[in-house]
PDB file of all heavy atoms in Angstrom:
ATOM      1  N   CYS A 110      40.733 -67.783 111.008  1.00 98.00           N
ATOM      2  CA  CYS A 110      40.691 -67.867 109.552  1.00 98.00           C
ATOM      3  C   CYS A 110      42.007 -68.477 109.070  1.00 98.00           C
ATOM      4  O   CYS A 110      42.010 -69.449 108.330  1.00 98.00           O
ATOM      5  CB  CYS A 110      40.508 -66.457 108.972  1.00 98.00           C
ATOM      6  SG  CYS A 110      40.397 -66.457 107.190  1.00 98.00           S
ATOM      7  N   ARG A 134      39.861 -75.386 113.073  1.00 98.00           N
ATOM      8  CA  ARG A 134      40.039 -74.937 111.703  1.00 98.00           C
ATOM      9  C   ARG A 134      41.155 -73.894 111.651  1.00 98.00           C
ATOM     10  O   ARG A 134      41.472 -73.260 112.662  1.00 98.00           O
ATOM     11  CB  ARG A 134      38.749 -74.361 111.113  1.00 98.00           C
ATOM     12  CG  ARG A 134      38.142 -73.181 111.864  1.00 98.00           C
ATOM     13  CD  ARG A 134      37.478 -72.180 110.934  1.00 98.00           C
ATOM     14  NE  ARG A 134      38.461 -71.517 110.078  1.00 98.00           N
ATOM     15  CZ  ARG A 134      38.259 -71.208 108.817  1.00 98.00           C
ATOM     16  NH1 ARG A 134      37.101 -71.454 108.254  1.00 98.00           N
ATOM     17  NH2 ARG A 134      39.213 -70.606 108.102  1.00 98.00           N
ATOM     18  N   LYS A 139      45.648 -69.603 101.919  1.00 97.00           N
ATOM     19  CA  LYS A 139      44.467 -68.734 101.966  1.00 97.00           C
ATOM     20  C   LYS A 139      44.113 -68.182 100.582  1.00 97.00           C
ATOM     21  O   LYS A 139      44.964 -67.596  99.909  1.00 97.00           O
ATOM     22  CB  LYS A 139      44.726 -67.536 102.898  1.00 97.00           C
ATOM     23  CG  LYS A 139      44.896 -67.869 104.362  1.00 97.00           C
ATOM     24  CD  LYS A 139      43.739 -68.626 104.962  1.00 97.00           C
ATOM     25  CE  LYS A 139      42.380 -67.992 104.793  1.00 97.00           C
ATOM     26  NZ  LYS A 139      41.289 -68.891 105.313  1.00 97.00           N
ATOM     27  N   HIS A 281      31.669 -66.546 107.689  1.00 98.00           N
ATOM     28  CA  HIS A 281      31.741 -66.014 106.325  1.00 98.00           C
ATOM     29  C   HIS A 281      30.346 -65.628 105.837  1.00 98.00           C
ATOM     30  O   HIS A 281      30.199 -64.757 104.984  1.00 98.00           O
ATOM     31  CB  HIS A 281      32.394 -67.023 105.383  1.00 98.00           C
ATOM     32  CG  HIS A 281      33.839 -67.249 105.715  1.00 98.00           C
ATOM     33  ND1 HIS A 281      34.242 -68.147 106.662  1.00 98.00           N
ATOM     34  CD2 HIS A 281      34.968 -66.642 105.259  1.00 98.00           C
ATOM     35  CE1 HIS A 281      35.554 -68.105 106.768  1.00 98.00           C
ATOM     36  NE2 HIS A 281      36.030 -67.198 105.940  1.00 98.00           N
ATOM     37  N   GLU A 307      34.666 -68.900 113.103  1.00 98.00           N
ATOM     38  CA  GLU A 307      36.012 -68.339 113.229  1.00 98.00           C
ATOM     39  C   GLU A 307      36.204 -67.714 114.605  1.00 98.00           C
ATOM     40  O   GLU A 307      35.391 -66.898 115.061  1.00 98.00           O
ATOM     41  CB  GLU A 307      36.266 -67.324 112.102  1.00 98.00           C
ATOM     42  CG  GLU A 307      36.474 -68.051 110.773  1.00 98.00           C
ATOM     43  CD  GLU A 307      36.997 -67.203 109.633  1.00 98.00           C
ATOM     44  OE1 GLU A 307      36.863 -65.967 109.668  1.00 98.00           O
ATOM     45  OE2 GLU A 307      37.531 -67.800 108.677  1.00 98.00           O
ATOM     46  N   ASP A 318      40.205 -61.850 108.077  1.00 98.00           N
ATOM     47  CA  ASP A 318      38.846 -62.040 108.613  1.00 98.00           C
ATOM     48  C   ASP A 318      38.668 -61.693 110.095  1.00 98.00           C
ATOM     49  O   ASP A 318      37.800 -62.287 110.775  1.00 98.00           O
ATOM     50  CB  ASP A 318      38.361 -63.468 108.323  1.00 98.00           C
ATOM     51  CG  ASP A 318      38.003 -63.655 106.844  1.00 98.00           C
ATOM     52  OD1 ASP A 318      37.962 -62.639 106.107  1.00 98.00           O
ATOM     53  OD2 ASP A 318      37.765 -64.792 106.433  1.00 98.00           O
ATOM     54  N   GLN A 321      35.025 -60.677 111.422  1.00 98.00           N
ATOM     55  CA  GLN A 321      33.993 -61.711 111.603  1.00 98.00           C
ATOM     56  C   GLN A 321      34.387 -62.755 112.644  1.00 98.00           C
ATOM     57  O   GLN A 321      33.646 -63.705 112.884  1.00 98.00           O
ATOM     58  CB  GLN A 321      33.684 -62.396 110.269  1.00 98.00           C
ATOM     59  CG  GLN A 321      34.839 -63.250 109.738  1.00 98.00           C
ATOM     60  CD  GLN A 321      34.626 -63.690 108.315  1.00 98.00           C
ATOM     61  OE1 GLN A 321      34.090 -62.948 107.485  1.00 98.00           O
ATOM     62  NE2 GLN A 321      35.034 -64.906 107.980  1.00 98.00           N
TER      63      GLN A 321
HETATM   64 MN1   MN B   2      38.081 -66.773 106.774  1.00 76.40          MN
END
Side-chain angles (χ1 to χ4, degrees):
C110 182
R134 58 146 294 142
K139 294 304 306 175
H281 294 85
E307 286 191 339
D318 286 351
Q321 68 191 37

